[in-house]
Amino acid sequence: MIEALDEISVRPVAIAGSSIGAAIGAAYAAGMSGKAMRRVAIDVAHARAETLARLVGARAAGPLLAAVFSNPMLLDAQKLAAAFLPPAIPDDFAALEIPLTVIATDLYARCAVPLSTGSLRTALAASMAVPGLVRPVEIDGRVLVDGGAIEPLPYHYVAGRADVVLAVDVSGAPRGRPREIPDPWECLFTTLQIMSRAIVNEQLKHGAPDILIRPNIGAFRVLDFFRTSAILRAADAVKAEVKEQVAKLVAT
């Protein structure tokens, strides 16, 4: 979608994102092009052994078998961010070229926490702290987890700041009816994806963005990170739609 904007020379005046959307938004706000982000994603997916080694290196500190139900692969959010975020993403929000709002979720206050100042990489780590897989992050005394838990598509944070609001929803609708029973992680993350879709659908009833893009990625599972090339090919199909809709609204 960012490549589509690049190809028609349109740059946003403000960006908001949750979870992986926050990371993509940060890279874009830092000046990375869509093609540069594509190269990073493909490199990570194709270097399978190195990527798995980075994940092992990002494990949270502590005994692996501290309790019966402990997760031996629990990841440290800030180590994960350090291992995978492109170097172009700065340490502080103030260094970004475009204003960015990163959404996290306050685990105990049960509300969205928009972050737009201070440590950018810490904010991104919090926004991507998927419950059960990534340890929560503490910022200013608040325990924060994945922003997608409450704001999977935070387009209203840029409403009133731009003439045209574009939102990209990647929660995905499943295709077909797979018969196999998923493993526990796949079951957990797919359930979170279902919840995200339900939140977005309810949110749209109270005010939709000017342009809503939903790439046809329902054939992919939540943990299909190593299928990046195939996912990008599927998403490429809507680039023309993005360019047409944006160009039309910007022209008016």
Side-chain angles (χ1 to χ4, degrees):
M1 304 312 104
I2 290 172
E3 286 177 349
L5 297 181
D6 290 345
E7 288 168 15
I8 58 174
S9 300
V10 171
R11 293 278 285 172
V13 296
I15 301 171
S18 292
S19 199
I20 191 64
I24 296 294
Y28 196 27
M32 288 187 71
S33 68
K35 287 190 180 299
M37 282 185 253
R38 179 186 288 257
R39 286 194 296 271
V40 170
I42 290 175
D43 287 347
V44 169
H46 288 184
R48 189 183 185 97
E50 180 185 344
T51 296
L52 291 173
R54 289 195 211 177
L55 287 171
V56 171
R59 287 186 305 184
L64 297 184
L65 298 175
V68 174
F69 296 107
S70 65
N71 174 12
M73 270 306 296
L74 181 68
L75 301 173
D76 181 285
Q78 290 178 279
K79 288 181 181 179
L80 188 67
F84 288 101
L85 291 178
I89 296 179
D91 293 327
D92 198 281
F93 279 94
L96 294 173
E97 297 177 6
I98 301 171
L100 171 70
T101 302
V102 171
I103 311 301
T105 300
D106 187 315
L107 187 62
Y108 294 110
R110 302 179 184 181
C111 65
V113 179
L115 303 165
S116 56
T117 60
S119 174
L120 172 58
R121 285 177 169 256
T122 302
L124 293 175
S127 188
M128 296 188 293
V130 179
L133 180 65
V134 183
R135 187 166 60 186
V137 174
E138 184 178 344
I139 297 178
D140 296 332
R142 309 179 84 163
V143 177
L144 305 180
V145 296
D146 195 311
I150 196 167
E151 289 276 11
L153 195 64
Y155 57 87
H156 61 91
Y157 284 91
V158 298
R161 302 171 67 184
D163 296 325
V164 175
V165 176
L166 182 154
V168 181
D169 179 15
V170 295
S171 57
R175 290 196 317 194
R177 298 182 61 186
R179 296 181 180 273
E180 72 273 15
I181 295 177
D183 63 52
W185 284 118
E186 184 68 34
C187 188
L188 171 63
F189 295 146
T190 301
T191 300
L192 294 174
Q193 192 175 32
I194 293 168
M195 293 167 65
S196 292
R197 188 73 167 198
I199 292 170
V200 170
N201 287 341
E202 185 63 29
Q203 189 177 6
L204 292 171
K205 295 177 183 178
H206 302 283
D210 299 298
I211 302 172
L212 175 62
I213 301 298
R214 282 176 156 166
N216 187 16
I217 53 173
F220 302 100
R221 295 185 173 186
V222 179
L223 298 181
D224 279 344
F225 298 113
F226 290 112
R227 297 182 66 191
T228 294
S229 294
I231 293 169
L232 287 168
R233 283 195 298 272
D236 278 340
V238 297
K239 282 179 66 176
E241 176 189 350
V242 174
K243 291 193 284 188
E244 180 182 355
Q245 290 196 49
V246 172
K248 181 179 179 181
L249 286 176
V250 169
T252 58

